[in-house]
Amino acid sequence: MAQNGSWYKYIRNKVIFRFAYLYSGCVVINKYVGNVIFLTGDSMQPTIYDGDIVFTRSYNPRKHEINKNDIVCVKSPTDAGILLCKRVALVEHEYDNISFNNIRPSARIAAGHCFLLGDNLEASSDSRAFGPIPMGLIYSRVLFRVWPPNRIGFIEKY
Amino acid sequence: MSTLWTITKIVGKAFGIISLPIAFCECVGHPASVVGASMEPTLRGNDARWWLNDIVWLSKIHSFPKNGEIYTYTSPRDPKVHHVKRVTATPGEIIDVKNRPPMPLGPLEYWMSSDNVTVGQDSRNYGPVNMGLFQGKAMFILWPPSRFGSLY
């Protein structure tokens, strides 16, 4: 270790590098492994409650498949920077038998798209409002719940 | 145990050092090679000789997309492929193309067009592209050296 003024610089550089490594490590984990996400709202009751913390697995379209009835976190198609957590009710090429109103005529879900539906239909803003979403908006798939402690475990599938 | 701590430090540092360039590509930007002729003459990607195709710098740091800017995005039809096109209409503007009723774009919808309309797919085929699909903004041509320079 060097003396006096350089000691201060040495510590500062060490802190900067370690912060850079830590930040980069977190970016890599978020991109390749998964995230811990704090969920709010009632739109997925009774599967997920307000305040649940879940572990999700990052979605890479080239490696992973999204299956019907998976619960996914998607980038909101209407609000920048917001993540929604919904269930995939219909995948591509399936007939849309959910949008009962005439705003969206009953048709097949387009290629590369999926139809999201909250489990709590009354309190959920989902594809019934904004239509099927492209799968490129999917951020991660919800795996299991880590909080609250009395309900830790894999999220139930239908 | 001090050997355990040493091992943790080494593994942590190795992971951190390897993560740095990956995080840089994710957060700052990275080069990408152009495939296809849909953005001719601005971007050339249609030669089987890979060293003749353009390489552009994609920046992840940018402000909200504006008309005339070139962006890469995940294709709405197939999330495994990325398209690169130019923004020709922004949220709130009214689209007026044939086979489509004139409608204003939604809050995060952008109309992407090829510079070379005879080739490739763009918003005329799959409709407006959501901003959440955008991956990066093409800023410079890095290669070949004869075409080096900003795209704007």
Side-chain angles (χ1 to χ4, degrees), chain B residues 5-6 10-11 14 27 30 36 44 46 48 55 70 74 85 90 117 122 135 147-149:
Chain B
W5 176 236
T6 320
I10 294 176
V11 169
C27 303
H30 60 90
R44 295 188 191 153
N46 215 25
I55 296 182
I70 301 176
T74 312
K85 302 283 179 277
T90 51
V117 292
D122 59 8
Q135 300 295 325
R147 307 182 70 233
F148 181 91

Side-chain angles (χ1 to χ4, degrees), chain B residues 115-133:
Chain B
D115 282 2
N116 179 8
V117 292
T118 54
V119 171
Q121 309 221 306
D122 59 8
S123 282
R124 290 167 301 151
N125 303 92
Y126 40 67
V129 176
N130 197 295
M131 193 176 84
L133 296 173

